[in-house]
Amino acid sequence: MSLISRDHSVVWHPFTQRGMAGDPLPVVSAKGAWLGLEGGRKILDAISSWWCNTLGHSHPELVQAAEEQLRRLDHVIFASCTHEPAVSLAEAIIRDAPNGYGKVFFSDNGSTACEVAIKLAVQLFANRGERGRSRIVALEGAYHGDTFGAMSAGARGLFSAPFEGLLFHVDRLSTEGSEQDRKRLAELCAQGDVAAFIFEPLVQGAGGMRMYSPEVLDGYLETCRRHGVVTIADEVMTGFGRTGPLFASSRLRVAPDVLCLSKGLTGGTMPLALTVVRDALFEEFVSNDHSRTFFHGHTFTGHPVACAVARRALELTASAECSRDRERIFRSHQQFSERLRGFPNAREVRVCGTILALNVAGSGGTGYSSTSTRGAQRFFLERGVLLRPLGDVLYVMPPYCASNDDLGLAYGAIEEFLRSAR
Ligand SMILES: Cc1ncc(COP(=O)(O)O)c(C=O)c1O
């Protein structure tokens, strides 16, 4: 029996409607920017797997870090035990992250990093005796993950509809930062019950690779700071060089209080996430009173192997060579975006760091349920490229090791698609 038939009989895939989806790709190996399929075909991973594979698949140094750590210490409970890989990763993150963070809380996926950040903010005020202060403010079009808190903070729609009655209320601001938005935020903050403002800095990923200016955020962050609202930068996708610098929030003038990290943290190879906070926030949980404890943790929290890989991945990501690669991809995307001007159905072509995105205009409408890119995934696979449009949005987000030829292959396929979709 083929892998696909065996898969069909036992596997339930994430974000997949079996009644409508084609067969999954049977991937048997991966190296650099390329995936190897059963039968020997190679496909260019132009979306870095699930936006996480920053350094290329099966990077030899990350493989080595994992192997060595697995032999030394495989796993140990992280409540009441500690270990070198976690401590050394936390030290490195605190050193390399902008704006003076002091403590790192470990988990194992991006949703949980955000869930933890929201819970921390709400409990911070409870610890201060302000139990009613639990209102959350987020951006329109946001995505922070699939757990209930993260889902509540994200934009409502197709994904969250069945759970609508269980999601908590969230106040929304636009990414335009209009006078009305700023006034609304000031009014909300003045009510005294806003605990946190959560946002994806510079690029909203699942919302359609929407790029927006740091100045808008700075305006919101200033208001939040004046009112003591905890500000949470969800850098799950934008972190680790995706937008150019190591962290997108280094482009902000007003430093967020909390950073949520995952995906590229391990170069995209192992499940790991961090919620990074200031010492001052941590100190408000330190007490002789048990009820002030942050009671949250998962079995695989602070996994030694993932931490050892992340430690090495951070060094590689911060290296001059990796930063040159990101710059090269950025320039290449910019040149391609100029070429896309010649395509009347390529709208809102945009580039931020190593992300290039465009909206495909057509009769299929806009948004997530648009049909303007229907069949696009198969079209690209036939040309040897893995791309997964988000509704009418096409985007390229390659691992930083993608060569100029690799980029050319993805661009060529996009041009061909746009020509055929006219
Ligand atoms: C900005 C952002 N936050 C949170 C998440 C959730 O991360 P995970 O899928 O690891 O739970 C994602 C996932 O794509 C994301 O892009």
Side-chain angles (χ1 to χ4, degrees), residues 51 109-112 114 143-146 200 205-206 234 236-237 262-263:
W51 309 347
N109 63 79
S111 307
T112 307
C114 296
Y143 180 78
H144 298 291
D146 302 332
E200 297 153 86
D234 172 358
V236 168
M237 187 197 77
S262 189
K263 294 197 187 276

Side-chain angles (χ1 to χ4, degrees), residues 16 164 234 393:
T16 303
E164 196 55 47
D234 172 358
V393 176

